[in-house]
Amino acid sequence: TRFRPAAARMVCGKHAKKFIRAFSSEASLKDVFSDKIPKWQKEIADIKSMYGDKVLGTCTVEQAYGGMRSVKSLVYETSLLDPVEGIRFRGYSIPECQKVLPKAPGGEEPLPEALLWLLMTGDVPTDSQVKVPVDLGRLSCMPIS
């Protein structure tokens, strides 16, 4: 086996999360979800409670949030396709996404990780929030033969 420096050993396994967190004081994706998911769950419960028996074409709100068994429809909040404006991602048009989402150094278009963060959370990420996945890949453990 080859020698592995202490830094490489430190980022492997159970210590990786602590090491990665040292790179940024920004909220991680997990932190953001921990904050948002209970709010989203309450919002959906409230919608179902208030409108659960209301008819949406050929199905009810309860059916829409309850798994859509045998119903051809979907509750989808991440994008909207307008016939005039085009597609919107979490309320942002494509030109707006190009302005507000982080880009790679020297790049002109948003990073894929930035768009994914926006779609998953509804928030525009900071540069450091979209950099973390790159660092995770670079610092991942590699088998040593």
Side-chain angles (χ1 to χ4, degrees):
T1 63
R2 286 184 268 164
F3 171 74
R4 287 195 314 175
R9 286 193 304 272
M10 185 170 76
V11 298
C12 298
K14 65 181 180 180
H15 302 292
K17 188 184 342 179
K18 292 177 187 173
F19 187 76
I20 297 304
R21 285 205 172 250
F23 281 109
S24 173
S25 62
E26 300 280 344
S28 70
L29 187 57
K30 184 177 179 180
D31 295 335
V32 171
F33 277 143
S34 294
D35 180 52
K36 287 183 175 279
I37 286 174
K39 294 173 187 171
W40 291 338
Q41 288 171 329
K42 183 181 181 330
E43 182 179 304
I44 290 168
D46 290 348
I47 290 170
K48 288 169 63 175
S49 172
M50 293 183 337
Y51 305 106
D53 62 341
K54 302 295 182 201
V55 176
L56 299 172
T58 59
C59 71
T60 65
V61 171
E62 181 66 37
Q63 288 173 310
Y65 278 107
M68 302 305 294
R69 292 172 192 87
S70 302
V71 179
K72 295 180 181 176
S73 74
L74 175 68
V75 175
Y76 190 68
E77 300 169 338
T78 59
S79 66
L80 171 70
L81 183 56
D82 183 276
V84 177
E85 285 189 326
I87 196 164
R88 286 188 162 274
F89 301 104
R90 294 288 190 154
Y92 293 93
S93 67
I94 291 175
E96 290 168 336
C97 285
Q98 290 170 316
K99 285 182 186 174
V100 300
L101 292 176
K103 300 166 183 58
E108 296 181 20
E109 295 296 327
L111 289 165
E113 296 89 345
L115 184 57
L116 181 61
W117 185 289
L118 174 66
L119 290 173
M120 291 172 57
T121 68
D123 299 330
V124 173
T126 64
D127 288 334
S128 63
Q129 286 172 322
V130 295
K131 184 176 185 250
V132 171
V134 174
D135 287 337
L136 286 174
R138 184 175 54 81
L139 297 172
S140 64
C141 298
M142 298 295 292
I144 297 175
S145 55

